Structure formats: structure tokens, C-alpha cells
Amino acid sequence: MPSETPAPAPERRTSSTVGVLVITAGVLAALIAAALTALSAGASYALLGLPDPGPVTQYGLPVVRVVAESGAVVCIGSLLLAAFGIPAMRSGPLAADGYAAVRTASWAAAVWCVGAALMVPFIAADATGRPVGDVLSVDVLFGLVDALEEAKAWALTALIAFVVALVCRVVLSWGWTVMAFALGLVGLFPVIATGHSASGGAHDIATNSLLVHLFAAVLWVGGLVALLAHAARRGAHLPLVARRFSQFALVCWIAMALSGVINSLVRVSPTDLFTSTYGVLLVLKVVGLVALGAFGYFQRRSVVRRLDDGAGAAALLRLGAAEVLIMFATIGVAVALGRTPPPAGGKAVPGRTELLIGYPLDAPPTLFRLLFDMRFDLIYGTFALALAGLYLLGVYRLRKRGDAWPVGRTIAWMCGCATIFMATSSGIGKYAPALFSVHMGQHMLMSMLAPVFLVLAGPTSLALRVFKPAGKTQPPGPREWLLAFVHSPVARVLTNPFVALALFVGSFYALYFSGLFDVALTQHWAHLAMNAHFLLVGYIFYWPVIGIDPAPRPLPSLGKVGLVFASMPFHAFFGIVLMMSQTVIGAAFYRGLDLPWMTDLLADQRLGGGLAWASGEVPLVVVMLALLIQWSRADSRAARRIDRKADADGGADLAAYNEMLRQLAEKDTPRSK
């Protein structure tokens, strides 16, 4: 038809406008970063006792970092949109709009990879106060990268971005898009773990808050860019996509605001906000964040309503363009902030223990200190509180509409969340990085006790009852995503009894007897990863054994008992090996802490081995008790079904059974002659 022929042209022009917008915003961020870096660049090199490396290194580094971060933002935001914004087809493959977002992510990942790779020589030159051209020889560059953790982090980031770019070129299904999105998020970790927040006093709080801050910022900014690109492509379901992003953006803004305040208080006192370059840049960043929050709250709400009425796409693009410019300007300020040394502010020089774990430990652990000497973990403490709140909200919604939910499951969930909280935010979490015995206690709580409570609470069943089905003619939503994960090949593989057992018990030996634990002790991010691994493998192991939620691979009753008993010898042997060992695991790190009240590291390790050996009995008791209760309830349900059937058919089954017995008796009785 003639009227349909010219339609693609305006769409291409509008789509290209979004590309021009992103490039313009990136250039703006780079100029702001370079200009603001000039305010304190010379002082930074003088403070470190380094010569001035020249303008190419001095101003090229923030520009290249803006390029890398812009690529990461667009890549992860596009994958977020393709995975959870644009509905995929019910048969599994991505819809056309989702595929377009993934293709955008592949190009953005390539930019991210190039920017991260360029950061390696710039970091090497900056750290040594040399022009970047002087470090480009292979021998010099590789030698510097080997000595500089931040250069290694950027090299690893470049590798991850390269893999993401390759995956995005071939991905066609929703499941693989989610995997690419998760891999993109992993690519943000290395740089966070080696920035200035990862060193000095209170670096545990600084790193955790920066982790939350950066993730929220990337998802928010990237998600908005992807939303604008989707609107420019005149993509399907635009009101739904915009509504989903609007709710998600609010959560990201709150997370950014809270984590930003916490991170700032670690580095700057209120009196330094207007008397130091670092403080002034921080104020500029806060102003941008507040403006973005007000912008999004008061403006996008009206735009989303107009989209629901079938209009407002042009207004969304105009509003989003201004918001993207402010967002990227804030990124430029953040890059300059990362290049600016925080003010000393008369703070005392941190001691050796504080430098290594982030805080001092002035007294040995006692039962009272382990329980009540709190140091809130921003990651796992917040995670535990959020899990508890979301579960209670789900129960409230069920009861509000008249549906019942077992109180015992709610109690089990609260106990699991409390276990996570105590393991990470009480004195146990505080002393765990410094004492092997306390770390082992934390390990047991996270892998063998908290998961038992969590699987007994049936969180998936609760979520499936709370989330409304999308309907056959509607795009899939959270309920469909959850079902897709439960029935995915990944879930089926992980819940395979042999895989679950290998992950659960093999982790002990792989972590502590391979030298991996010695390496992980010095890295804060490694402690976060260990706790995540402990909790995840514990949940995977106990889910098919005693979980309320149906597992992808259901086990028979004997299989459940056998799986539990199969794990016991491995735990017992692991604890015995630790108690009998004459070699201290992580000896260099623990000696480096130089704690005056810790003089016998081998005795502390043996205590940790005893905890590992003895604590394996507690989950076994809970598991066996749960299995007995579940079997008893299953028998009761079966008996009630039989009684109901008998009432309905007048006891036909029982009569038939009695008749069969009578006939058998007649056959066995000899006939009288």
C-alpha cells in the first residue's frame, strides 16, 4: 500500500537521533571529567611523589574512562531492556524489539571492551607518573600490569566485555539474554574492587556502598537510554516497558541516594564539603542526583500516563533526552571525583588491621561480642532485611485478598533471614575476616543453616501465588520469568543430586585446600563472593531435599535421605583434616594482621575444624525432622483423599478389595468330598 512505504524512514531518523544523543552526552561527560580533573591533577601527583606525566596521560585517562563506562552503561541497559522490559515471544526466542536491543548491546560492549583495554596503559602511565607513550612497549606494560591491581582489573573487564560482545552477536533466546545481562553485571566488579574505596580505613563500607551505587547508576542510566531507543524504534508494548522502567528507576534512585551518602561520609566530613576540591565535586554530584530524582518523579509520571492513553512518545523522547544529558554530566563528575584524592581532614592514620580488613579489632572475641558487637554489612545485611520485607509483603497481599499462608513457613523465612543477618552483620561478621574459626562459623551458618530455613519457607510458591498470571494474550511478566527459571536447563542441572552434592561438599575442599582461600583473604570482593557461594550452594542442595517449592528434579523419599547422609562423611572428614593439620591456612594474612591477642593460629584453625565437624549435626537434625513432618503430612493427605473418595463412591474400593480377599480365600480352601 502506498501509505505504508515511507513509514520506516522517520523511524530510522528518530533512532539515529538517540544515537547522536548518546554520543553527545558521552562527549559532554568526557569534557566535564577532563575539566574537573584539571582542578586537582597536579596536586594528586605531588601528593604521591610522582612527576607530572603530561597532558595526554593526565586528561586522556578520564576521557578514556568515560568511553569505557558509557559503553558499559548502554550495553547493560540494553540487555536489561531485552531481558525484563521487552516481552519475549512465548515460544522462547526474542521478539524483534528485543533482538534490536541485544544488537545495540553488542556494539556498546565492543566500545566498553576498547575503552577498558585502553585504560590499562593509561593506568600504568598514571601510576608511575610517565607519559603513556613510554609504557606502550610489551615488556614495560606487562611488568606494570603485573604489579598494579587496578590495571589487572581493567584488563579483566576488557576480557569480560569482549565475551559479552561475542555472546550478544549470537544470542536469540530470552534465557541466553538473561545470561548475557548477568555477565555484563559481573564485568563491573573488578574495577569497583580495586578503586580508592577499596583501600584505606573503612574500605569494607566504602566498597559495599560503591558497589550498590555503581550498579544502581548503570542500571538506571542504561535503562533510560534503552527505553528511549525502544521508543524511537516505535517498539511494541511501549506503555508497559515505560511503566516497568519507571518503577525500577525509583528503586535505583533510592539505592543511589542512600549508598552515595554512606560512601561520602566514609571519605569526607561535612566540614570538608565546601573547603576541598573533593567535597565540591561531591556536592555537584549530589545536586545532579537530586535534580534527576525530581525530574523523574514529577515529569515521567505524567508521560507514562499519556503513554497509557496512546500518546506521549514524543514527550518521552524530549524528557528523556534532557535527563540523559544530566545523567552523563553526572558520570563526568563521578569520573573526576574518582581521580581526586579525598581530604585528609586530620584523620588518624589507620593501623595495619584497619588497612587489611577495613576496621580495627581491639579485643578478642567473646560470646557477647560475637552476638552484639554489630558492624552492619551493607550488602548482606540489607539483603536479609529486604528478603524479610518482601516475604512479609507477599504474605500481607495474600491475606488481604482472603488467601491463607502457613505461619510456619513465615517463621522459617524470618529465621533464615535472621541467620544471614547474624552471620554477616553481628560480631560474627565483624571477626570473620580476621579469625579462621569465626570465618568457619560464618561459613556453616551461611551454607548449612540459613538455606534450610529458606527452602522450608517456600518462597517460589509464595511468589507464584502473589504475582498475577499475564494471560494468554498478554506479554509475560514476573510470574512467567520465575516459572521460566524454575523449568530452565540451568535449574535442572544445578538440582541434579550429583551436581548439588558435588557443589555442596566439594566447595569445602576446593576453597580451603587448593590455596584459593589464601588468595581470597586479601580481597574484600572475594569475601562477598564466598558468602554468596555458600548461601547459593546450600540452597541448591537443600531445595530438592526438604524444599516446599517443587524442584526441577523431584527426588523420592529414600533419595532425599540418601543425599543428606551422603554429605555427612565429607563434612566430618573435612573437619577432622583441619583439626589434625599442622599447616596454617592463610598464615601470611593472619600473621600480617598482627593481632596482639591472637598468638596461636594453629589452635584457632583447629577450633574452626571442630566447628565444621560438629555443626554438620545441627542441620541434619533439622532436615530429618522436616522430612518426618513432611512424610506425616503426606500420609495424612493421602488418607483424607481415600476417605473423600470412599464417601463419594460408597466405599467401592474397599468393597472390591474385600471381594478380592474373599475369592482368594475360597481358592485356598480345600473342597470337602
Side-chain angles (χ1 to χ4, degrees):
M1 296 176 61
S3 59
E4 295 178 353
T5 305
E11 183 175 344
R12 287 195 298 269
R13 288 198 298 269
T14 311
S15 299
S16 64
T17 301
V18 176
V20 172
L21 171 65
V22 172
I23 294 174
T24 303
V27 171
L28 174 64
L31 291 175
I32 291 175
L36 294 179
T37 298
L39 297 176
S40 60
S44 300
Y45 293 113
L47 182 65
L48 297 172
L50 296 173
D52 191 330
V56 175
T57 300
Q58 194 174 74
Y59 303 115
L61 191 149
V63 171
V64 172
R65 179 156 189 165
V66 166
V67 171
E69 293 189 356
S70 298
V73 162
V74 177
C75 171
I76 294 174
S78 298
L79 290 173
L80 171 68
L81 183 76
F84 303 108
I86 302 173
M89 292 187 290
R90 291 187 176 273
S91 57
L94 293 171
D97 295 321
Y99 182 69
V102 172
R103 295 289 288 182
T104 301
S106 69
W107 289 109
V111 174
W112 183 14
C113 174
V114 172
L118 289 175
M119 279 295 294
V120 175
F122 273 99
I123 287 292
D126 182 72
T128 55
R130 301 161 67 177
V132 69
D134 292 353
V135 302
L136 291 180
S137 65
V138 175
D139 294 339
V140 174
L141 184 60
F142 274 79
L144 290 174
V145 169
D146 186 60
L148 297 171
E149 292 297 326
E150 192 172 0
K152 291 179 185 176
W154 279 106
L156 179 58
T157 299
L159 178 61
I160 295 174
F162 178 74
V163 175
V164 172
L166 289 181
V167 172
C168 289
R169 299 301 294 183
V170 299
V171 66
L172 293 173
S173 65
W174 177 81
W176 278 105
T177 303
V178 175
M179 296 292 290
F181 171 67
L183 183 59
L185 293 179
V186 171
L188 300 175
F189 271 101
V191 175
I192 298 174
T194 56
H196 61 73
S197 291
S199 60
H203 67 253
D204 59 325
I205 297 176
T207 302
N208 288 348
S209 59
L210 182 62
L211 182 69
V212 175
H213 191 79
L214 183 58
F215 270 68
V218 169
L219 292 172
W220 183 20
V221 180
L224 178 60
V225 172
L227 174 63
L228 295 181
H230 184 64
R233 288 191 292 264
R234 301 177 183 176
H237 307 292
L238 180 59
L240 172 66
V241 176
R243 191 164 53 250
R244 286 178 177 177
F245 176 74
S246 181
Q247 297 168 351
F248 182 72
L250 177 61
V251 175
C252 289
W253 185 86
I254 294 173
M256 285 182 65
L258 294 177
S259 60
V261 169
I262 294 171
N263 191 273
S264 302
L265 292 176
V266 171
R267 297 301 174 204
V268 182
S269 61
T271 57
D272 294 324
L273 286 177
F274 299 98
T275 59
S276 65
T277 303
Y278 191 93
V280 171
L281 293 180
L282 190 59
V283 170
L284 289 176
K285 185 178 177 182
V286 171
V287 169
L289 182 62
V290 172
L292 287 170
F295 214 76
Y297 180 77
F298 290 109
Q299 299 293 335
R300 191 180 294 115
R301 285 176 62 92
S302 61
V303 173
V304 170
R305 290 197 188 100
R306 292 176 61 188
L307 288 173
D308 287 332
D309 296 334
L316 175 64
L317 289 170
R318 289 193 299 270
L319 175 65
E323 200 170 354
V324 165
L325 290 174
I326 298 175
M327 284 178 168
F328 273 77
T330 306
I331 289 176
V333 175
V335 170
L337 193 64
R339 297 276 297 147
T340 305
K347 294 181 180 179
V349 177
R352 184 164 183 80
T353 303
E354 189 173 0
L355 285 173
L356 288 175
I357 66 173
Y359 47 87
L361 290 173
D362 300 323
T366 61
L367 180 60
F368 181 84
R369 291 193 182 103
L370 288 175
L371 293 178
F372 302 108
D373 192 2
M374 310 293 289
R375 186 175 180 86
F376 185 72
D377 189 307
L378 289 176
I379 301 297
Y380 289 102
T382 304
F383 178 67
L385 295 177
L387 286 181
L390 290 173
Y391 194 95
L392 291 176
L393 178 61
V395 174
Y396 169 76
R397 288 188 175 180
L398 278 185
R399 303 207 169 207
K400 187 177 180 181
R401 70 187 190 202
D403 294 340
W405 185 255
V407 176
R409 297 184 186 181
T410 304
I411 294 174
W413 187 262
M414 294 300 109
C415 289
C417 294
T419 302
I420 297 173
F421 187 88
M422 291 299 296
T424 57
S425 295
S426 68
I428 297 173
K430 184 175 182 178
Y431 280 90
L435 295 174
F436 184 85
S437 58
V438 182
H439 163 81
M440 189 56 61
Q442 182 187 61
H443 183 164
M444 296 299 107
L445 288 173
M446 293 291 282
S447 66
M448 300 186 69
L449 188 58
V452 171
F453 289 125
L454 295 180
V455 299
L456 287 174
T460 302
S461 299
L462 176 63
L464 291 176
R465 290 183 62 182
V466 171
F467 292 134
K468 296 180 180 179
K472 293 183 178 181
T473 61
Q474 297 298 319
R479 192 177 192 276
E480 288 70 29
W481 298 335
L482 184 58
L483 284 173
F485 170 75
V486 171
H487 298 294
S488 67
V490 174
R492 289 184 61 82
V493 170
L494 290 177
T495 54
N496 181 289
F498 299 103
V499 175
L501 181 63
L503 289 173
F504 188 55
V505 300
S507 300
F508 288 83
Y509 298 90
L511 177 61
Y512 297 104
F513 297 150
S514 66
L516 186 61
F517 183 71
D518 299 66
V519 177
L521 276 172
T522 60
Q523 304 294 333
H524 176 70
W525 66 266
H527 290 274
L528 297 176
M530 281 191 289
N531 282 331
H533 176 77
F534 297 155
L535 188 62
L536 182 60
V537 298
Y539 194 96
I540 290 172
F541 179 78
Y542 289 114
W543 179 12
V545 175
I546 58 171
I548 299 299
D549 299 322
R553 288 180 178 271
L555 294 178
S557 299
L558 290 179
K560 295 178 178 181
V561 176
L563 189 61
V564 173
F565 277 96
S567 67
M568 291 181 59
F570 294 99
H571 283 295
F573 183 72
F574 171 77
I576 292 172
V577 170
L578 283 180
M579 288 189 290
M580 297 181 63
S581 176
Q582 299 298 318
T583 303
V584 177
I585 299 174
F589 175 81
Y590 290 126
R591 291 195 182 101
L593 291 174
D594 197 24
L595 297 172
W597 38 266
M598 175 47 62
T599 57
D600 194 341
L601 296 178
L602 190 58
D604 183 67
Q605 179 173 297
R606 288 171 177 167
L607 175 59
L611 287 173
W613 175 69
S615 60
E617 305 298 325
V618 177
L620 176 64
V621 173
V622 177
V623 168
M624 294 307 299
L625 180 62
L627 285 175
L628 289 174
I629 293 174
Q630 290 174 6
W631 292 340
S632 175
R633 290 178 176 175
D635 290 341
S636 298
R637 287 193 296 268
R640 286 196 297 270
R641 283 196 301 270
I642 293 173
D643 291 341
R644 285 195 299 268
K645 190 175 185 300
D647 293 338
D649 59 15
D653 288 343
L654 181 60
Y657 181 70
N658 290 334
E659 177 63 20
M660 180 190 69
L661 293 179
R662 187 187 64 78
Q663 293 177 1
L664 290 175
E666 289 180 352
K667 290 181 180 180
D668 293 337
T669 303
R671 296 180 179 179
S672 58
K673 297 183 179 179

